[in-house]
Amino acid sequence: MTENTEKTYGQILKASSIIGGAEGINLALSMVRVKFAAIFIGPVGVGLLGNFTAVQGLVGTLAGFGIQSSAVRDVAKAVGEDDQQKIGQTVLALRRVCWLTGLLGAAFMAGFSPWLSEWTFGSGDYTLQIALLGLVILFSNLSGGQMALIQGMRRIGDLARVNIVSAVTGTLISISAYAWLGIDGIVPALLLMSAVRLGVSWHFAQRIPVPPVAASWLQSLSSAGGMARLGFVLMWSGLINGLVLYLTRALITQDLGIAAVGIFGAAFALSGMLINFILGAMGADYYPRLTGVAPDRTAMTRLVNEQTEVGLLLAVPGLLATLALAPWIIQIFYSGEFLPAVELLQWFALGCLGRVLSWPLGFVMLALGKGAWFFLTETLFNALHLALVWCGLNLVGLEGTAIAFFVLYVVYIVAVYAVGRHLIGFSWSTNTWKLIAGLLPLVAVAFVGTRLLSIWPATVLGVIVTASATVFCFRGLVGRIGAEHHVVRKACRIPGMRWACGL
């Protein structure tokens, strides 16, 4: 492997490790919040929390208009061109649009709260709580604008600091609210957590030197036109994703009750914690970098392959551990009441492997500014997801919703691969294919073992497979970043790790 290639993998790993450390802390604290939620508010409370979050996420996505995500591309592009005037105009437009859309979203949430309560819970009992969530939308919009600036400037360290401080304070707030108020503490906790994140992101964003520019609101809205066009596509993607999750929870509520929503939410949240940790760690730097090399087809293909390889090497050991230890994970982070979530968690873990494979390719459309392609693929596959959820729920029951998630990503991988091939002539490299071929059998063995064996033999088999995959993946990382990388040198100081590194 050439020195330049090792340097590129090292850069990916460095950015991933910084954000990954923050995401790891966030992951651990999320698990703490989940455990205390299970203790203090139980399955019904967890179900309520999930429904409140789904409603707020759905309206918040609509109100955000995708501006925060599209602004990362605009800020990164302006920074790459070293155009100070453009940087100033972009940041000013971003901040003003976030205020405008946030206020509109809060007003919408308050005005439509009676109908949202009726559609979500089948009654108007939660009208006031849903109206108050409008403030969460405003605070989230404003903090999202600050985070877009930080990420677009590639201030990876500050991005990590915001996540850590927000996670620590959010955990303390939520546990205190659940312990003091029980189920009635859910909405106050959400409000306080969003306010704290806004304050922290504002503090770090103010440390970034932004060229001052003078512009009217009309000029800012005009200069935000590019953000809005791509933002609409991203908003639509987030909106229909949120809509599918909202409708899934609503269908489960109506068919099986609110406690079943808690079971579904427990499995979905645990699978999401791990994969969001990995993808969040990589995505903070990957999207701006991919935008920076667009539209160079060769450079984009190389970067997507490198990111896919690193994603697999980082994610697969954790996914295998989730498959093997699902019954224990549920008991540790929730309680025995949530054990029906085990089978769902295992199917969600398989689907998350599909997310890892498809995720780097999905950014190709965004980096190229191909909003129409992104709009089409996201619309079609969210419609497919909802159809699969409905079929799975009716044919299999609650577990069918998780099977639908897995089937969706099998189809989605094929689709985004075809789109990537059309747009940039993409193909997985030989190294990527070898990695997939080496890891998929291990995943299959672990999953089949959980289905055919009783809990103890399945756990032992899963642990053995996970350990084997961990060694395989760590050696893969060593081969890509080089034996002299500081991460490898530090790891080799641990007894037995020189053998694991293949040195």
Side-chain angles (χ1 to χ4, degrees):
M1 192 162 290
T2 66
E3 183 178 347
N4 286 338
T5 303
E6 287 182 357
K7 184 178 179 181
T8 302
Y9 281 113
Q11 185 178 354
I12 294 173
L13 189 60
K14 179 181 178 181
S16 298
S17 63
I18 293 172
I19 297 297
E23 291 290 337
I25 294 171
N26 197 5
L27 174 63
L29 292 173
S30 295
M31 292 177 175
V32 172
R33 291 196 297 271
V34 162
K35 182 64 177 180
F36 278 95
I39 293 171
F40 289 128
I41 60 179
V44 172
V46 172
L48 283 172
L49 175 60
N51 279 1
F52 282 140
T53 304
V55 173
Q56 178 255 314
L58 184 63
V59 179
T61 299
L62 181 63
F65 208 75
I67 294 294
Q68 294 98 324
S69 298
S70 65
V72 173
R73 180 178 182 272
D74 283 20
V75 172
K77 187 176 179 181
V79 171
E81 296 170 356
D82 197 23
D83 187 336
Q84 297 300 306
Q85 181 72 10
K86 188 174 180 180
I87 292 173
Q89 290 174 343
T90 301
V91 173
L92 180 61
L94 169 64
R95 285 172 171 164
R96 286 177 168 176
V97 170
C98 285
W99 268 106
L100 180 61
T101 56
L103 289 169
L104 289 173
F108 179 92
M109 195 76 159
F112 283 84
S113 55
W115 291 276
L116 290 171
S117 177
E118 190 69 39
W119 296 333
T120 305
F121 299 100
S123 74
D125 295 344
Y126 299 96
T127 298
L128 177 60
Q129 291 92 326
I130 291 174
L132 289 173
L133 290 177
L135 289 175
V136 177
I137 292 174
L138 174 60
F139 296 158
S140 298
N141 258 33
L142 296 176
S143 61
Q146 311 288 14
M147 296 296 283
L149 170 60
I150 296 170
Q151 185 179 352
M153 291 286 189
R154 295 183 68 183
R155 301 281 288 252
I156 304 302
D158 284 346
L159 205 61
R161 294 180 187 97
V162 173
N163 288 333
I164 291 171
V165 175
S166 299
V168 171
T169 53
T171 299
L172 294 174
I173 288 169
S174 61
I175 292 174
S176 301
Y178 300 154
W180 180 29
L181 300 172
I183 288 176
D184 292 335
I186 294 173
V187 172
L190 292 173
L191 283 169
L192 288 172
M193 289 167 67
S194 63
V196 167
R197 186 170 181 84
L198 171 59
V200 176
S201 63
W202 181 87
H203 170 74
F204 283 99
Q206 292 303 304
R207 297 169 54 181
I208 300 175
V210 177
V213 294
S216 66
W217 270 82
L218 187 60
Q219 289 172 321
S220 291
L221 293 176
S222 177
S223 64
M227 283 187 215
R229 283 189 292 274
L230 182 58
F232 171 77
V233 175
L234 293 169
M235 178 274 291
W236 177 251
S237 170
L239 180 64
I240 54 177
N241 271 294
L243 182 61
V244 168
L245 182 59
Y246 171 78
L247 291 175
T248 297
R249 291 178 180 275
L251 286 170
I252 295 171
T253 301
Q254 293 170 13
D255 287 0
L256 303 174
I258 195 70
V261 178
I263 299 299
F264 168 85
F268 191 74
L270 284 175
S271 66
M273 281 180 188
L274 173 65
I275 204 64
N276 291 338
F277 160 58
I278 300 294
L279 300 186
M282 296 191 301
D285 189 58
Y286 171 61
Y287 181 25
R289 286 183 65 218
L290 190 65
T291 298
V293 300
D296 185 333
R297 294 157 62 100
T298 301
M300 292 184 76
T301 296
R302 175 180 53 79
L303 187 54
V304 172
N305 271 296
E306 290 169 350
Q307 199 72 51
T308 303
E309 291 170 34
V310 172
L312 286 170
L313 292 170
L314 292 176
V316 168
L319 292 175
L320 284 169
T322 302
L323 283 172
L325 304 175
W328 312 103
I329 292 172
I330 292 292
Q331 295 237 49
I332 291 170
F333 295 111
Y334 287 90
S335 67
E337 293 180 276
F338 290 83
L339 279 176
V342 169
E343 288 78 13
L344 278 75
L345 177 57
Q346 291 164 340
W347 281 109
F348 279 136
L350 285 186
C352 285
L353 179 60
R355 281 189 66 190
V356 173
L357 278 169
S358 61
W359 178 84
L361 271 166
F363 277 96
V364 169
M365 292 174 274
L366 297 179
L368 291 172
K370 299 291 186 180
W373 279 97
F374 193 76
F375 177 89
L376 181 63
T377 55
E378 291 298 298
T379 301
L380 290 176
F381 281 95
N382 273 281
L384 174 62
H385 189 192
L386 187 59
L388 290 170
V389 165
W390 184 84
C391 291
L393 192 59
N394 282 278
L395 295 175
V396 183
L398 189 60
E399 187 178 353
T401 60
I403 297 173
F405 184 79
F406 165 67
V407 174
L408 173 74
Y409 273 99
V410 171
V411 180
Y412 188 70
I413 291 170
V414 177
V416 292
Y417 188 93
V419 171
R421 193 166 187 83
H422 174 76
L423 294 178
I424 62 171
F426 177 82
S427 63
W428 279 327
S429 65
T430 302
N431 284 337
T432 304
W433 276 114
K434 287 181 179 178
L435 200 56
I436 294 170
L439 292 173
L440 282 185
L442 295 176
V443 175
V445 168
F447 181 77
V448 172
T450 64
R451 295 285 151 163
L452 299 182
L453 303 175
S454 58
I455 184 169
W456 279 109
T459 300
V460 171
L461 174 63
V463 168
I464 293 172
V465 172
T466 301
S468 302
T470 301
V471 172
F472 176 85
C473 290
F474 197 76
R475 288 187 176 185
L477 283 174
V478 172
R480 285 163 175 80
I481 64 177
E484 297 305 312
H485 194 279
H486 70 277
V487 172
V488 178
R489 291 203 304 271
K490 289 180 181 178
C492 287
R493 295 173 188 169
I494 302 172
M497 284 303 292
R498 289 193 64 85
W499 171 80
C501 294
L503 301 175

